């Protein structure tokens, strides 16, 4: 079986303890990854700290050359990395290759964007006449060691979206991939290693979050924590981080609100694609439909037609619905469906499960008393909640503990903008499904969905800090 290693201080290294990674598709053994010990983490942190001065002293242009090379390598290897990724997280092969390709583009863009990180200057006299001889030169400096922790659902892209902006900003990186997804994460690291990134600038830490997670979060060498994952773990990260800056991108319960004047054919297509791609395992998946009564029957019928077109099965045959990440998740999703069924929800497409493969399930007549109205299933289940007015839709949207994104489908743009301004979310899409990209847009969650703003330029800003150098010209 293939033995994968961590990349630390410019070398590939083993650990005594190993974790075997199995494919959620068929339990095939994919390889072993090291489970790093605390002592090994300490050594990696030391190497990162040592590498920081020389890396931050380079010009952004010089740093960008390493990123461009790594992106080119990723692009060259997108098929082989995509194949492992598809096996490791049961994502469709086309989408898996697409994820690697998207990451290469993101790294190129980050390298370019890093060249446009400008400082600023301020004249004191514009505020206070007596201070007219004072000038503040405002510079952006790296924060230091960035700990990047990624979730299983985008083990390459949501890693690259942290690593590339951190590196171009002059930081050094400790990267902890998700355990289920760690082989893909290590292959991303290999692209940086093969691009010749200087020793210690980019290091990896594999191991279970439940075992090594608290230790790395609390590690005194870490200056910034950039975390994407579930809300409960994110809350824990927030508590352990203390006064250090963090970025948290967490769970969501994105709503698609459909008004009576919407183009229902278009809305149904967007909603089904938004809800079911990668079997609903996306933070930005549409996780509930709120439709006004006047068009609820029509929309439900159209959604049903679209859901019935979805294919189910093997990621390597590019089926729309593939196995969810593990059986534990499948059982959790089943619990939400059973709760809804017991409280009167109507199955428009029949619920069916075989181990961790769940058939796409559309539930109508869902009410706020049902757990599925509020919880994130992270699977191929979509509840429809019928509402009497846009006001009721707004209230239900904002009652959620989450605040990631929402969609609104209507031809009334002034109303859509007014609705958007009242929604407690980071992003509102008008007449389109919820989604993170394009990757240069700001991407953020509020309330239980996170803190801080991602998006290439915003991530660079978040992982660099301002320094004001004041001098007096008299
Ligand atoms: P997760 O269980 O929270 O894990 C995320 C990452 O945190 C993994 O690398 C995990 O490592 C690590 N981890 C676990 N316990 C930790 C601890 N005590 N300290 C530090 N790290 C720890 O989430 P997931 O199941 O991988 O991903 C699904 C969730 O992520 C969903 O809720 C989804 O909505 C959310 N998500 C949000 C966004 C966004 O941008 N808003 C994007 C994608 C996903 P192990 O794998 O070793 O456990
Ligand atoms: O899972 C969360 C991701 O950030 C979603 O990204 O909307 O591009 O699929 P996406």
């Amino acid at each position: 079986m293939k033995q994968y290693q961590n990349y630390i201080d410019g070398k590939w290294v083993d650990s005594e303890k190993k974790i075997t990674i199995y494919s959620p598709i068929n339990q095939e053994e994919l390889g072993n990854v090291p489970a790093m010990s605390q002592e090994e983490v300490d050594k990696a942190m030391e190497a990162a700290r040592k590498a920081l001065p020389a890396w931050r002293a380079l010009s952004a242009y010089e740093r960008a050359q390493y990123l461009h090379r790594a992106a080119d390598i990723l692009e060259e290897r997108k098929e082989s990395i995509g194949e492992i990724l598809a096996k490791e997280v049961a994502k469709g092969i086309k989408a898996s290759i697409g994820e690697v390709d998207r990451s290469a583009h993101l790294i190129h863009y980050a390298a370019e964007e890093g060249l446009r990180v400008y400082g600023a200057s301020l004249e004191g006299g514009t505020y206070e006449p007596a201070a007219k001889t004072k000038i503040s030169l405002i510079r952006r400096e790296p924060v230091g060691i960035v700990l990047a922790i990624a979730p299983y659902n985008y083990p390459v892209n949501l890693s690259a979206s942290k690593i590339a902006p951190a590196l171009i900003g002059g930081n050094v990186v400790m990267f902890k991939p998700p355990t289920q997804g760690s082989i893909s994460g290590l292959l991303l690291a290999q692209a940086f290693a093969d691009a010749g990134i200087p020793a210690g600038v980019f290091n990896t830490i594999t191991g279970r979050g439940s075992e090594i997670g608290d230790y790395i979060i609390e590690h005194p060498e870490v200056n910034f924590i950039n975390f994407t994952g579930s809300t409960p773990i994110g809350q824990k990260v927030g508590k352990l981080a203390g006064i250090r800056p963090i970025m948290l991108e967490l769970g969501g319960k994105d709503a698609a609100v459909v008004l009576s004047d919407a183009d229902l054919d278009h809305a149904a297509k967007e909603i089904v694609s938004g809800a079911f791609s990668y079997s609903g395992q996306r933070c930005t998946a549409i996780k509930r439909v709120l439709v006004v009564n006047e068009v609820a029957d029509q929309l439900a019928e159209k959604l049903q037609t679209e859901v019935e077109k979805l294919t189910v099965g093997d990621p390597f045959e590019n089926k729309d619905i593939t196995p969810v990440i593990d059986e534990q998740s499948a059982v959790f999703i089943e619990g939400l469906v059973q709760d809804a069924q017991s409280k009167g929800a109507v199955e428009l497409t029949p619920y069916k499960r075989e181990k961790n493969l769940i058939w796409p399930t559309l539930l109508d007549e869902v009410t706020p008393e049902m757990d599925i109205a509020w919880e994130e299933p992270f699977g191929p289940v979509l509840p429809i909640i019928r509402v009497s007015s846009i006001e009721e839709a707004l209230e239900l949207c904002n009652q959620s503990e989450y605040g990631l994104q929402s969609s609104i489908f209507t031809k009334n743009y002034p109303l859509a903008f007014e609705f958007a301004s009242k929604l407690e979310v980071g992003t509102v899409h008008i007449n389109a499904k919820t989604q993170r990209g394009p990757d240069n847009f700001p991407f953020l969650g509020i309330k239980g969905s996170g803190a801080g703003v991602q998006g290439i330029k915003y991530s660079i800003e978040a992982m660099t800090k301002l320094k004001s150098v004041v001098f007096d010209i008299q």
Side-chain angles (χ1 to χ4, degrees):
M1 196 183 356
K2 178 117 174 112
Q3 307 291 323
Y4 291 90
Q5 295 173 316
N6 272 302
Y7 189 64
I8 294 167
D9 201 12
K11 294 179 268 308
W12 291 99
V13 294
D14 260 330
S15 294
E16 203 179 309
K17 240 177 101 186
K18 311 267 184 230
I19 302 169
T20 304
I21 307 297
Y22 299 91
S23 171
I25 306 171
N26 52 11
Q27 295 307 306
E28 175 193 351
E29 286 184 357
L30 300 178
N32 283 331
V33 297
M36 267 173 82
S37 68
Q38 295 185 354
E39 294 69 33
E40 288 165 338
V41 168
D42 289 347
K43 282 200 185 125
M45 294 280 180
E46 260 172 51
R49 181 62 61 193
K50 224 171 74 205
L52 179 62
W55 181 250
R56 64 176 283 174
L58 294 180
S59 66
Y61 178 81
E62 288 167 309
R63 290 195 292 266
Q65 304 318 307
Y66 293 101
L67 271 71
H68 285 307
R69 272 204 293 277
D72 287 341
I73 292 170
L74 265 190
E75 218 155 358
E76 281 159 29
R77 297 178 187 167
K78 66 183 174 190
E79 264 96 17
S80 59
I81 300 177
E83 190 176 327
I84 297 276
L85 197 159
K87 286 187 181 172
E88 211 180 0
V89 300
K91 186 177 279 191
I93 180 69
K94 195 167 155 222
S96 298
I97 295 169
E99 177 176 339
V100 182
D101 205 32
R102 175 180 178 182
S103 307
H105 296 169
L106 187 155
I107 296 168
H108 278 307
Y109 196 107
E112 295 284 330
E113 194 66 27
L115 306 184
R116 293 184 280 274
V117 174
Y118 304 119
S121 65
L122 283 179
E123 293 186 33
T126 56
Y127 177 69
E128 187 184 303
K132 67 173 186 283
T133 56
K134 286 191 183 295
I135 294 179
S136 168
L137 202 61
I138 303 155
R139 306 171 68 187
R140 276 205 172 267
E141 297 187 344
V143 287
I145 296 184
V146 170
L147 173 63
I149 304 181
Y152 79 81
N153 64 339
Y154 283 84
V156 172
N157 187 265
L158 281 170
S159 305
S161 67
K162 298 168 174 50
I163 293 163
L167 290 175
I168 195 67
N171 302 287
V172 294
V173 169
M174 303 295 308
F175 165 45
K176 189 230 166 296
T179 296
Q180 191 71 42
S182 49
I183 299 179
S184 308
L186 291 173
L187 295 176
L188 170 68
Q190 192 169 17
F192 280 89
D194 294 349
I197 193 118
V201 169
F202 181 10
N203 310 279
T204 60
I205 301 174
T206 54
R208 294 206 182 278
S210 53
E211 288 170 17
I212 199 80
D214 292 5
Y215 188 74
I216 58 177
I217 297 281
E218 287 187 302
H219 204 286
E221 287 291 355
V222 170
N223 302 111
F224 188 103
I225 301 154
N226 194 331
F227 174 89
T228 301
S230 62
T231 298
I233 303 286
Q235 283 165 336
K236 192 169 180 206
V237 170
K239 282 191 189 124
L240 295 179
I243 58 168
R244 285 169 301 169
I246 53 175
M247 171 111 77
L248 299 175
E249 295 296 345
L250 311 175
K253 187 71 185 172
D254 295 3
V257 175
V258 184
L259 302 185
S260 56
D261 66 344
D263 175 341
L264 296 183
D265 289 313
H266 170 74
K269 283 192 168 63
E270 282 288 301
I271 290 171
V272 170
S273 157
F276 292 97
S277 56
Y278 188 36
S279 311
Q281 296 171 106
R282 295 163 54 242
C283 57
T284 48
I286 291 177
K287 293 178 183 138
R288 50 190 173 147
V289 176
L290 304 178
V291 56
V292 291
N293 286 325
E294 296 97 291
V295 292
D297 285 343
Q298 281 166 274
L299 181 75
E301 200 185 313
K302 288 178 193 298
L303 288 172
Q304 182 180 344
T305 306
E306 291 302 317
V307 174
E308 282 169 349
K309 288 181 197 162
L310 297 173
T311 55
V312 181
D314 187 346
F316 283 86
E317 289 171 9
N318 277 313
K319 300 292 183 193
D320 300 308
I321 305 295
T322 53
V324 295
I325 198 69
D326 54 29
E327 208 156 335
Q328 197 188 338
S329 304
V331 168
F332 171 74
I333 297 162
E334 183 160 291
L336 291 175
V337 173
Q338 285 170 346
D339 172 76
Q341 285 167 331
S342 71
K343 292 174 183 161
V346 177
E347 280 176 49
L348 295 183
T349 55
Y351 174 77
K352 181 176 157 195
R353 170 169 87 88
E354 278 170 17
K355 294 186 180 153
N356 56 336
L357 181 62
I358 295 179
W359 269 250
T361 309
L362 185 63
L363 296 174
D364 199 358
E365 309 281 355
V366 168
T367 64
E369 288 67 44
M370 302 173 191
D371 294 342
I372 192 84
W374 306 108
E375 294 213 29
E376 179 185 44
F378 230 58
V381 177
L382 180 64
I384 304 174
I385 303 174
R386 294 167 177 239
V387 293
S388 56
S389 63
I390 187 171
E391 289 77 20
E392 190 186 348
L394 181 68
E395 204 180 315
L396 284 172
C397 283
N398 287 348
Q399 267 174 23
S400 172
E401 66 172 295
Y402 297 107
L404 192 56
Q405 299 200 342
S406 270
S407 289
I408 177 160
F409 291 89
T410 175
K411 295 192 184 86
N412 186 339
Y413 276 82
L415 183 64
F417 275 94
E418 190 193 332
F419 191 68
S421 69
K422 291 178 180 164
L423 278 169
E424 294 168 2
V425 293
T427 305
V428 180
H429 296 264
I430 299 176
N431 292 325
K433 64 190 170 193
T434 46
Q435 62 176 45
R436 172 165 47 112
D439 290 328
N440 62 334
F441 282 8
F443 178 59
L444 66 152
I446 60 168
K447 303 201 291 191
S449 291
V453 184
Q454 277 197 88
I456 297 172
K457 170 180 143 198
Y458 307 94
S459 297
I460 299 173
E461 283 174 4
M463 292 185 280
T464 48
K465 58 188 178 196
L466 295 180
K467 180 170 282 172
S468 170
V469 180
V470 181
F471 62 100
D472 208 311
I473 52 171
Q474 70 181 334

